[in-house]
């Protein structure tokens, strides 16, 4: 396990997703999670797995992955908001409404 290397790959993937480099983002996040699968930033890493699919228009996969990220107990409200948004884009209005009402810690 290498938490520092994982964070570095996560940071690069964040910049890649902002630049719409979805293939590179997926590879970087896969490597980051592989380096540190129980990292405290697992929820942000998982949402970063969802965003490239949303950018590419695969809203079903993006919503599935976003919900997995939101289910992590330490998820930040921004992760829950991303799950709501991606569920809405996929047409899952009930799931989006449920996540919108979820308690955020």
């Amino acid at each position: 396990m290498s938490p520092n290397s994982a964070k570095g790959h996560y940071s690069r993937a964040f910049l890649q997703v902002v630049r719409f480099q979805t293939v590179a983002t997926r590879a970087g996040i896969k490597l980051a999670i592989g380096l540190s699968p129980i990292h405290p930033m697992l929820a942000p890493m998982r949402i970063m797995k969802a965003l490239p699919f949303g950018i590419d228009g695969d809203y079903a996969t993006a919503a599935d992955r976003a919900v997995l990220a939101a289910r992590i107990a330490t998820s930040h409200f921004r992760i829950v908001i991303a799950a709501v948004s991606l569920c809405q884009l996929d047409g899952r209005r009930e799931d989006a409404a449920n996540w919108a009402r979820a308690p955020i810690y």
Side-chain angles (χ1 to χ4, degrees), residues 56-78:
D56 289 342
D58 185 358
Y59 301 125
T61 303
D64 290 342
R65 292 179 184 234
V67 167
L68 286 175
R71 286 184 178 153
I72 296 173
T74 59
S75 289
H76 193 270
F77 77 94
R78 291 182 183 122

Side-chain angles (χ1 to χ4, degrees), residues 12-91:
R12 184 183 321 156
F14 178 82
L15 293 175
Q16 289 166 332
V17 81
V18 170
R19 296 178 66 193
F20 298 98
Q21 297 174 338
T22 57
V23 174
T25 301
R26 287 187 196 112
I29 288 300
K30 182 178 180 179
L31 182 57
I33 291 174
L35 287 170
S36 188
I38 56 171
H39 197 278
M41 289 184 58
L42 185 58
M45 286 187 202
R46 282 202 174 162
I47 202 66
M48 288 296 293
K49 283 181 78 171
L51 293 176
F53 289 101
I55 291 168
D56 289 342
D58 185 358
Y59 301 125
T61 303
D64 290 342
R65 292 179 184 234
V67 167
L68 286 175
R71 286 184 178 153
I72 296 173
T74 59
S75 289
H76 193 270
F77 77 94
R78 291 182 183 122
I79 294 169
V80 175
I81 289 170
V84 169
S85 300
L86 290 167
C87 285
Q88 187 74 18
L89 285 169
D90 188 39

